Amino acid sequence: MSVHSEIKRVTTSVLQSMKDRGEKIACLTAYDYSMASLVDAAGVELILVGDSASNVMAGHETTLPITLDQMIYHAQSVIRGVKRSLVVVDLPFGSYQGNSTQALKSAIRIMKESGAHAVKMEGGKEIEESITRVLSAGIPVMGHLGLTPQSIYKFGGYSVRAKSEEEASLLKSNAKLLNDLGCFGVVLEKIPQSLAEEVTASLEIPTIGIGAGNGCDGQILVIHDMLGINKEFSPRFLRRYADLHTEMTNAFTHYIKDVKSGDFPNEQESY
Ligand code: KIV
C-alpha cells in the first residue's frame, strides 16, 4: 500500500517518508477556493499558492508586483477548499529580502492570517539568515533554486539555469545548505535533468521539479498552464492535460449565441 492512500492530512514528514520510500510527490499550484477544492480532492500531496498568481491571476508580466496582502488573500481562499493537501505559500518579492526580521514578520502573517502550513522562499546563501529565523519560529520552509522568477531582471530572461560548471556548483552548495538548515523540500526550476538528478540523490529532503526532468522526487506545474488555459505559454517542459482555452472559448461563444437568439433561458430555466 502506498503512503498516499494511508494518510488523512499531508504533512512535511509525509513528504519525507514518500522520498524515503521512493514514492513520487504530485504538486500543483492553486490560487482560489474552487480550484483548490478540485485539486485537493483529486489527491495531490502539495498545493502551492505560488506568486505565479501575479501572472496568471493578475495579468502581470512578472511575479514581482504581487503583494503580501494579495498572497494572503489567495492563501485564505485556497485553505478554505483544502482538506488533505499540504498548503505552501510563496513569500512574495520584497517581503523577505530586506532582513530576517522582515522575513519572519511576513511568514508569521501568512501563517496566522491564512492558516497555511508552510512558506516558500527563493534563494540560497543570500537568504540564509532569513530562512533560519523563519524556521526558528516553527514555520516549515521550502526552498526554490535554479530559475527563480523573482530574480528575472538579474537573469535577463527565462532560459535554462545552471548550465555552466560555476552556476551548477553554486546551485549544489545552495541545495546542501537548504537541506542542512532544515528546509523540508526544495523546488528546482528549469535546470538540466542530470544536475537535478545529482542534487536529488545528494539531499535527504525531497526535490520538486519544474522543467528539471524526471529525476526529482516530485513534480509541480502551474495549474493554468497544465489545463491549457493560456495558449501562448508553451515551454518545452509543459505537458498540457486539457485544452481549456478551446473548451472555455466554445462555452462562452455558445452562451453568447443562445442569449442573442433568445434560446437562453428556456421554460425549464425560468420561474
Ligand atoms: O510561483 C509559482 O508558481 C512557483 C512554481 C513555478 C514552483 O514558484
Side-chain angles (χ1 to χ4, degrees):
M1 191 188 284
S2 69
V3 175
H4 178 281
S5 53
E6 289 166 19
I7 46 168
K8 287 202 169 65
R9 177 56 92 182
V10 179
T11 60
T12 56
S13 35
V14 168
L15 300 184
Q16 186 62 57
S17 62
M18 288 178 76
K19 169 160 183 149
D20 299 342
R21 288 165 62 146
E23 192 179 341
K24 294 274 189 183
I25 303 166
C27 317
L28 280 172
T29 69
Y31 319 97
D32 67 88
Y33 167 82
S34 303
M35 209 66 108
S37 312
L38 286 168
V39 170
D40 183 61
V44 300
E45 278 82 30
L46 184 153
I47 295 179
L48 173 69
V49 184
D51 59 359
S52 47
S54 180
N55 309 106
V56 297
M57 299 301 287
H60 293 296
E61 206 177 308
T62 72
T63 58
L64 275 66
I66 200 159
T67 66
L68 183 58
D69 284 341
Q70 288 165 340
M71 288 304 296
I72 289 171
Y73 166 77
H74 287 298
Q76 288 168 336
S77 312
V78 165
I79 277 288
R80 283 182 214 118
V82 171
K83 293 193 175 76
R84 179 181 171 278
S85 313
L86 183 84
V87 177
V88 182
V89 182
D90 265 333
L91 280 184
F93 177 68
S95 73
Y96 64 101
Q97 290 90 349
N99 54 54
S100 63
T101 307
Q102 184 199 30
L104 180 61
K105 272 191 184 159
S106 301
I108 287 178
R109 274 202 63 200
I110 286 180
M111 302 297 284
K112 237 184 191 342
E113 295 177 39
S114 74
H117 313 127
V119 298
K120 174 163 84 60
M121 292 189 237
E122 295 183 5
K125 182 88 191 136
E126 68 282 12
I127 56 159
E128 177 177 357
E129 216 181 296
S130 294
I131 294 175
T132 306
R133 191 91 186 271
V134 173
L135 285 168
S136 75
I139 301 172
V141 175
M142 186 173 210
H144 185 156
L145 298 172
L147 177 66
T148 46
Q150 293 178 13
S151 305
I152 199 63
Y153 290 117
K154 183 178 87 181
F155 299 143
Y158 291 92
S159 53
V160 178
R161 303 308 314 172
K163 279 162 90 175
S164 70
E165 278 284 321
E166 196 189 351
E167 202 181 326
S169 134
L170 181 64
L171 188 140
K172 283 188 257 183
S173 69
N174 275 327
K176 172 89 174 68
L177 175 73
L178 297 177
N179 184 98
D180 296 349
L181 287 176
C183 290
F184 72 87
V186 57
V187 168
L188 298 176
E189 180 164 356
K190 230 171 169 187
I191 62 170
Q193 168 161 356
S194 56
L195 175 60
E197 266 168 18
E198 193 185 334
V199 171
T200 301
S202 72
L203 299 188
E204 286 145 71
I205 59 172
T207 60
I208 305 297
I210 173 163
N214 67 8
C216 294
D217 298 305
Q219 297 293 328
I220 186 161
L221 285 174
V222 168
I223 194 157
H224 290 64
D225 299 342
M226 64 89 74
L227 289 176
I229 291 178
N230 176 0
K231 279 235 191 275
E232 279 90 64
F233 186 68
S234 56
R236 175 189 167 123
F237 69 77
L238 175 62
R239 185 181 293 182
R240 289 206 177 93
Y241 287 84
D243 179 5
L244 287 201
H245 184 278
T246 306
E247 284 284 320
M248 290 168 85
T249 305
N250 286 345
F252 301 146
T253 51
H254 195 169
Y255 166 75
I256 293 165
K257 186 170 141 277
D258 287 353
V259 169
K260 304 248 181 227
S261 69
D263 182 71
F264 176 79
N266 62 23
E267 284 280 307
Q268 291 75 45
E269 290 155 340
S270 306
Y271 299 98

